[in-house]
Amino acid sequence: MRKILWGVCLLPAIAVATPSNVQIYGVIDAAITSYKAKGQDTMFDSTSGFSMGNRVGIRGREDLGNGYSIGFDLEQGFLLDTGAQFNTWSKDGVVQNGAFNRQSYLDITGPFGKVAFGRLVSLSGGTGDFNLSKFSVFGIGYGTASFLAYTFNQSRLNNAIVYVSPSLSGLKLSAMYSNGTTTDEEKWSKNNHYYGIGGMFDQGKLNAEVIFEAIDNKSSAALKPAYVVTAGGSYNFGITKIFAGYQYGTQEDKRHQHVLLLSSATPLGGGILKFGGKILFGKLDGKAVKSGQESKYNSWNINAAYEYPLSKCTYVYGMAGYADGGKLLSSSASLKASGLPFKANLVNAWQVALGVNHKF
C-alpha cells in the first residue's frame, strides 16, 4: 500500500515535468537520377534525399512562464535506400555513428532572444534551425543546383553555442562559436574553432542576410585559417520570387574564390517552377599551386525543377541541370590533380531526376 501511495504522489510531479509540446517529425525523399560527368560513364542511380535530406527528429518545448521557455531538437539523417546513418563526422579518421547527427541541441528562449548549445549547422550551412542562407531557391538540394556544389561550406559543428537576438523590426542578429568543430578534448590551442556572425532582415516580401565566418584550423600546422563572407536574399514580386546571393571564400595556401547565384520560384500549373544558375571562379594560392599546373578554375551551371503537390505533406518533382567546368575543372583528371574539394558530377556534368518528397 505504501508503494502505491508513493506512486500516486509522484504522478503530479511527472506531469509537471513533461514538456507542453513534443513532436516527432521528418522528411522522406527519394529519386531516380541519371548523370554524366565529362569523361566518365553515364550513371543511373536510386538517390536518397535528392531534393531535401532525409531525416527524423524529436523536438519539444516547455513554457517556463514570464516569456521564458526551454526547448530541444534531436535530429538524425539517414539514407532511405540503405537505412544507413547520414551526416556523420570523423574523429582521428574513424567515422562516428552516433545518433542525432544532423543537429542536436538544447535552447533557452526569452525576451533576450535565444541561446542554444550542442551540435549545430553553421550560419551558412543551408539547413538546420539557425541557418541564415536563404538566397537560393534550390537550397542545398537538387544536385548540381545545390549552392553547396560551389561554395565554401562550414557544415555541421560539434561543441557549439549560438545566440539569436529578438526581432528588431524584422532584423535578427546571430552569433555562433564552436569550441572544437569535431572534438574539444585537446587544449584550446589544439582544437579547430568556428566563429560566425550574421544578420537576417525578413519582413513582408523582402528577405536579406549577411554572414561572416572563420575557422582557425588550429589542430593542423599545415592548414591556415579560412574566412568566408556570404550575402544574399530574395524578393517576392507576386508573379515570381527572385533569389540572389554572393560568397567570397579565402584560405592561404589553398584557394581564393567567388560564387554568384541567381534563381527564381514561379507558381505554374498548380505547382512551383524553380529555375536558376550559378557562376564560380577562383584561383589556387601559395603551396596549393603545383609547378607547371594551371592555377585558375571556373564553372557555371543552369538548373530547372518543377514541384507538384499531391497533398499538404507530399510533392513529386522533376529536375534537369547542366554544369560546365573550365581550366582546373575542365576534366575529372585535372580536378583530381588540383586537390580542390569539388565533385566532378556537380561542376562539369549534366543531370536529370524524378522523385517524391514526403514530410511528417
Side-chain angles (χ1 to χ4, degrees):
M1 177 63 70
R2 184 174 297 175
K3 291 181 180 179
I4 295 174
L5 289 174
W6 272 110
V8 172
C9 291
L10 284 172
L11 284 176
I14 293 172
V16 171
T18 302
S20 59
N21 180 23
V22 175
Q23 176 189 10
I24 297 176
Y25 67 93
V27 174
I28 301 176
D29 186 288
I32 300 298
T33 63
S34 181
Y35 61 90
K36 184 182 187 304
K38 187 175 181 180
Q40 298 183 10
D41 295 332
T42 300
M43 304 298 293
F44 189 77
D45 287 344
S46 170
T47 304
S48 174
F50 184 75
S51 77
M52 187 180 294
N54 288 311
R55 72 204 69 171
V56 62
I58 307 169
R59 64 166 65 103
R61 183 158 298 279
E62 181 183 9
D63 185 359
L64 302 177
N66 298 317
Y68 291 87
S69 65
I70 188 164
F72 68 90
D73 197 307
L74 307 174
E75 187 175 286
Q76 175 61 55
F78 64 93
L79 298 175
L80 183 65
D81 46 359
T82 65
Q85 295 184 33
F86 196 53
N87 308 118
T88 56
W89 58 282
S90 297
K91 176 183 176 183
D92 299 327
V94 179
V95 175
Q96 307 297 302
N97 288 315
F100 310 124
N101 282 321
R102 280 185 64 89
Q103 64 178 10
S104 55
Y105 67 82
L106 181 73
D107 77 73
I108 302 172
T109 302
F112 64 89
K114 177 180 288 188
V115 176
F117 313 81
R119 176 169 166 82
L120 307 173
V121 182
S122 68
L123 297 181
S124 69
T127 186
D129 293 342
F130 304 99
N131 168 53
L132 297 182
S133 297
K134 308 286 187 180
F135 49 77
S136 171
V137 70
F138 298 104
I140 62 172
Y142 285 107
T144 57
S146 168
F147 73 75
L148 295 185
Y150 282 2
T151 57
F152 267 72
N153 177 29
Q154 310 300 329
S155 192
R156 290 172 170 82
L157 308 164
N158 292 341
N159 312 297
I161 179 173
V162 64
Y163 167 73
V164 182
S165 76
S167 179
L168 308 170
S169 300
L171 174 65
K172 286 188 176 182
L173 303 177
S174 299
M176 184 178 290
Y177 167 73
S178 168
N179 196 52
T181 56
T182 54
T183 178
D184 62 355
E185 295 174 354
E186 300 292 335
K187 63 180 182 179
W188 189 88
S189 61
K190 297 295 183 180
N191 297 322
N192 293 335
H193 308 98
Y194 165 91
Y195 309 86
I197 187 168
M200 175 180 288
F201 180 79
D202 194 356
Q203 192 170 71
K205 298 179 179 182
L206 176 65
N207 171 274
E209 55 267 356
V210 177
I211 312 162
F212 173 78
E213 297 169 292
I215 288 186
D216 58 20
N217 291 313
K218 285 184 175 293
S219 70
S220 173
L223 292 177
K224 303 294 178 62
Y227 304 97
V228 182
V229 178
T230 306
S234 64
Y235 190 84
N236 193 338
F237 291 92
I239 59 172
T240 190
K241 186 175 183 179
I242 302 297
F243 300 76
Y246 166 77
Q247 186 189 83
Y248 173 71
T250 180
Q251 185 176 14
E252 186 181 344
D253 287 334
K254 284 294 184 180
R255 55 180 168 143
H256 311 291
Q257 71 171 44
H258 304 264
V259 181
L260 300 168
L261 309 94
L262 184 64
S263 58
S264 63
T266 305
L268 180 66
I272 299 292
L273 175 64
K274 298 182 175 183
F275 182 80
K278 306 189 295 292
I279 298 174
L280 160 72
F281 55 97
K283 184 178 181 179
L284 298 181
D285 177 74
K287 296 178 181 178
V289 181
K290 299 177 182 177
S291 178
Q293 181 191 62
E294 172 67 64
S295 63
K296 296 181 179 180
Y297 58 93
N298 61 73
S299 181
W300 64 268
N301 72 21
I302 189 167
N303 307 276
Y306 184 71
E307 298 175 355
Y308 185 82
L310 301 180
S311 69
K312 291 182 178 180
C313 299
T314 304
Y315 64 84
V316 292
Y317 60 87
M319 179 268 182
Y322 175 78
D324 185 76
K327 298 186 181 296
L328 288 174
L329 305 184
S330 61
S331 70
S332 299
S334 60
L335 169 57
K336 184 176 181 180
S338 72
L340 288 164
F342 306 114
K343 296 180 179 179
N345 64 310
L346 298 180
V347 298
N348 198 15
W350 59 259
Q351 184 176 57
V352 294
L354 291 172
V356 60
N357 178 288
H358 175 72
K359 300 181 182 70
F360 61 90

